[in-house]
Amino acid sequence: MSDVTIHTTEELEKQNEYTELLKDILYFRYNNSQPKALVRTYGCQQNVADSEKLKGMLEKMGCALTEDTEEADMIFFNTCAVREHAEDRVFGNVGALKRLKQKKPSLLIGLCGCMMEQEHIAARIYKSFPYVGLVFGTHVIHRFPELIYHAVTTGKRFVERGTDDGKIYEGIPIHRDGSFKGWLPIMYGCDNFCTYCIVPYVRGRERSRRPSVVLDEARQMISAGYKEITLLGQNVNSYGKGLDEQTSFAGLLQSVSDMEGDFWVRFMTSHPKDASAGLIDVIADNSKICSHLHLPFQSGSDRILKRMNRSYDTARYLEIVNYAKSRIPDLSLTSDVIVGFPGETYEDFQKTLDLIREVEFTSLFTFIYSPRVGTPAAKMDDPIPYEEKSKWFSELLKVQEEIAAKRCMSMVGKTYRVLIEEQAKNGILNARTQNNIIVELQGSPDMVGNFAYAEVTEAKNWILRGRLIDKP
Ligand code: SAH
Ligand code: SF4
Ligand code: F3S
């Protein structure tokens, strides 16, 4: 067995004991009634998956989950540190909790997640928000019951962070938010140290879950009726490094899609430096693996990619993209891009636009560079003012909008298998194609959570409208 993985042994048994104690303690603390707990998630799917564990543990403590801050007895914010804007939102929302704490002194407010793994942030929270009772980082979520126990039994404020032991704790209970779309983390942390990025500092070293554990969880999800499983990691293509068994991401993906049942598999995020032709072949050859590749390129300038420490150049990026396009008909490519990295010139930025025009992404997640304390890029010279970067940003959005509109137009008249995800407020059903595009449909709400076939009848910029049809 790999030494990174710990199963439901000593540590989790200890946590189970705290959980048992908390059932009574919390019940009495909250007026002899079932305590209500709120978990709000900021940031990426890694945090969403962590929140599902926090919620799972809270349920085992006897709590009911709520979304309503007014009725909550315990509030936890699972925070994101990736850009300043994400952090500002958390600070603002924590400030707004002061009034609730005054009204209900027994309210327990806890902050966790990536922001809390930064020393200066944890210190600021502790100082500026005295009504926050519990602060803990990403590496100790398996000890959540113990942390709550200490907070409520001592009445003291608790900070627990900065303790990456490099291990994976399996066996934590999970409350999945969705009943037919689910997240499945296959690895944690990141070792890439892109010079702008805080993730490796707040999430620790990259480690992979054992294939047998991932496959067991996938099997459970499929038998519970999940129709879409998304395999998660910061860099899924390096899955398996450090494990005893010989394994690869392409192999894992193949094994999940080989499982019996009618379901789709997605994954994110792929790093271009490790994306292999073998991976593309697995996607191309398995109909359950969605024809969508999220492949962040970050910049179209080789000079900037080097300064970002991304370990590929645009030629390598285009090589993998072109191979994927040649092997996967209807492939949808999406990407992340940063505008205004320190030292980026307008000429560099134009190369980013060139790459966007050449690849024709379905959609882009676009960010203006945000300096992160402790990262190498934050110390680089950054002469371009923010206003100028904002102008470049708008220019990029315009280019992408035209491409997205064209991409959507090309889907009109075609038929797709879709997963019906929700009924919107206006009664329309929102469905998603394998290549990750939303199609609006008229239909009965009891179709939500099921596959169907849709013919696309209309494209409005990047929204598609269609009609349900029988199997073609
Ligand atoms: N592991 C993933 C990305 C995780 S963070 C990958 O490597 O692709 C999601 C995105 O946020 C990144 O792809 C990047 O585009 C953006 N991002 C990260 N740090 C940033 C920063 N300091 N400023 C602006 N955008 C940033
Ligand atoms: Fe951040 Fe780079 Fe790791 Fe992605 S691969 S999480 S951008 S350091
Ligand atoms: Fe944010 Fe942490 Fe994800 S910093 S983007 S929530 S890994």
Side-chain angles (χ1 to χ4, degrees):
M1 188 202 288
S2 159
D3 64 357
V4 296
T5 310
I6 292 192
H7 277 273
T8 331
T9 46
E10 288 151 48
E11 184 58 49
L12 293 183
E13 271 167 30
K14 195 166 112 195
Q15 298 307 320
N16 289 342
E17 283 167 23
Y18 284 114
T19 300
E20 282 306 310
L21 293 171
L22 281 166
K23 278 184 186 164
D24 288 340
I25 292 171
L26 294 177
Y27 187 82
F28 289 124
R29 179 179 165 98
Y30 294 112
N31 307 323
N32 292 335
S33 61
Q34 188 182 27
K36 297 192 179 66
L38 177 149
V39 179
R40 185 178 295 166
T41 313
Y42 299 81
C44 71
Q45 276 73 19
Q46 300 282 342
N47 259 13
V48 173
D50 279 355
S51 288
E52 291 187 340
K53 289 183 185 152
L54 298 176
K55 290 177 193 173
M57 288 185 268
L58 286 164
E59 277 184 337
K60 287 267 188 263
M61 293 169 212
C63 298
L65 299 173
T66 178
E67 308 261 304
D68 180 0
T69 49
E70 298 289 331
E71 69 161 16
D73 300 308
M74 297 191 277
I75 296 180
F76 300 97
F77 285 177
N78 192 9
T79 64
C80 169
V82 81
R83 282 170 294 276
E84 195 178 357
H85 176 67
E87 294 190 334
D88 286 346
R89 272 177 59 212
V90 170
F91 283 123
N93 292 339
V94 175
L97 296 180
K98 185 175 180 183
R99 181 186 60 81
L100 293 176
K101 178 72 180 174
Q102 281 166 345
K103 233 170 60 180
K104 189 195 279 183
S106 63
L107 175 67
L108 175 65
I109 300 174
L111 299 183
C112 57
C114 296
M115 268 173 87
M116 302 308 130
E117 286 295 351
Q118 301 176 95
E119 201 163 355
H120 68 285
I121 298 279
R124 179 172 159 192
I125 298 269
Y126 199 77
K127 196 158 154 260
S128 313
F129 304 104
Y131 48 90
V132 171
L134 183 58
V135 168
F136 60 101
T138 56
H139 304 303
V140 288
I141 62 167
H142 60 283
R143 287 177 47 217
F144 189 41
E146 178 186 348
L147 301 175
I148 295 187
Y149 177 85
H150 287 311
V152 298
T153 54
T154 65
K156 289 191 187 133
R157 303 176 72 202
F158 255 79
V159 179
E160 185 80 40
R161 48 167 299 284
T163 51
D164 180 14
D165 63 5
K167 300 211 181 292
I168 294 176
Y169 291 87
E170 298 291 0
I172 300 174
I174 300 175
H175 166 95
R176 293 193 194 279
D177 291 334
S179 58
F180 58 91
K181 276 167 72 104
W183 310 111
L184 176 40
I186 61 166
M187 60 206 295
Y188 302 97
C190 181
D191 283 350
N192 288 308
F193 290 96
C194 303
T195 54
Y196 50 81
C197 184
I198 197 72
V199 171
Y201 304 89
V202 296
R203 284 268 166 191
R205 298 292 51 79
E206 181 183 292
R207 55 246 194 212
S208 296
R209 298 177 77 190
R210 290 164 59 213
S212 58
V213 178
V214 173
L215 296 177
D216 279 349
E217 197 167 324
R219 207 169 288 118
Q220 284 162 19
M221 292 171 82
I222 296 161
S223 48
Y226 279 81
K227 297 284 176 15
E228 185 184 292
I229 298 175
T230 303
L231 308 180
L232 290 182
Q234 292 298 352
N235 176 10
V236 290
N237 301 316
S238 66
Y239 173 78
K241 269 188 205 154
L243 289 180
D244 296 342
E245 46 264 86
Q246 278 292 320
T247 181
S248 69
F249 180 60
L252 185 80
L253 195 57
Q254 176 79 57
S255 305
V256 174
S257 84
D258 282 347
M259 288 181 177
E260 239 174 81
D262 189 13
F263 61 91
W264 285 352
V265 192
R266 297 185 185 276
F267 59 92
M268 65 189 299
T269 297
S270 287
H271 193 303
K273 83 177 161 73
D274 301 313
S276 63
L279 169 71
I280 304 298
D281 292 339
V282 169
I283 306 171
D285 296 340
N286 290 279
S287 60
K288 289 181 196 167
I289 304 173
C290 290
S291 48
H292 170 213
L293 189 58
H294 182 64
L295 196 62
F297 71 93
Q298 313 297 359
S299 168
S301 157
D302 290 341
R303 196 179 71 84
I304 295 299
L305 285 173
K306 225 183 184 116
R307 285 166 66 87
M308 288 177 162
N309 190 31
R310 287 290 286 179
S311 313
Y312 56 84
D313 57 14
T314 45
R316 156 80 188 136
Y317 186 84
L318 290 171
E319 185 192 345
I320 193 83
V321 159
N322 288 333
Y323 182 66
K325 282 181 175 174
S326 74
R327 288 287 281 115
I328 309 166
D330 255 327
L331 174 72
S332 176
L333 279 153
T334 57
S335 194
D336 296 350
V337 49
I338 297 177
V339 173
F341 182 81
E344 181 175 333
T345 62
Y346 190 63
E347 286 67 41
D348 291 312
F349 169 68
Q350 287 301 318
K351 291 185 179 149
T352 291
L353 295 188
D354 290 344
L355 190 115
I356 291 171
R357 288 193 191 98
E358 175 157 1
V359 177
E360 300 197 309
F361 295 98
T362 312
S363 61
L364 287 177
F365 296 88
T366 47
F367 310 106
I368 295 183
Y369 168 72
S370 169
R372 305 286 69 211
V373 172
T375 60
K379 298 189 200 84
M380 295 178 189
D381 245 11
D382 191 5
I384 305 289
Y386 190 83
E387 297 68 46
E388 184 65 15
K389 293 182 183 182
S390 299
K391 282 190 204 148
W392 299 1
F393 189 75
S394 309
E395 194 178 334
L396 187 156
L397 292 186
K398 235 178 113 211
V399 170
Q400 178 55 27
E401 267 173 31
E402 279 171 25
I403 294 168
K406 196 173 113 194
R407 176 85 176 81
C408 281
M409 277 305 288
S410 74
M411 293 175 74
V412 175
K414 293 190 185 157
T415 296
Y416 295 89
R417 191 164 197 232
V418 294
L419 178 59
I420 302 189
E421 295 191 338
E422 58 173 6
Q423 185 180 39
K425 283 198 185 85
N426 58 5
I428 302 271
L429 299 180
N430 287 331
R432 195 181 293 270
T433 61
Q434 261 210 354
N435 57 16
N436 210 29
I437 296 178
I438 302 278
V439 188
E440 296 183 344
L441 299 164
Q442 299 278 358
S444 145
D446 57 19
M447 298 182 73
V448 171
N450 290 294
F451 288 115
Y453 288 90
E455 185 193 284
V456 177
T457 51
E458 193 187 341
K460 277 208 164 170
N461 294 328
W462 48 92
I463 293 176
L464 296 177
R465 299 227 167 91
R467 62 182 183 91
L468 288 162
I469 56 166
D470 291 334
K471 193 173 173 170

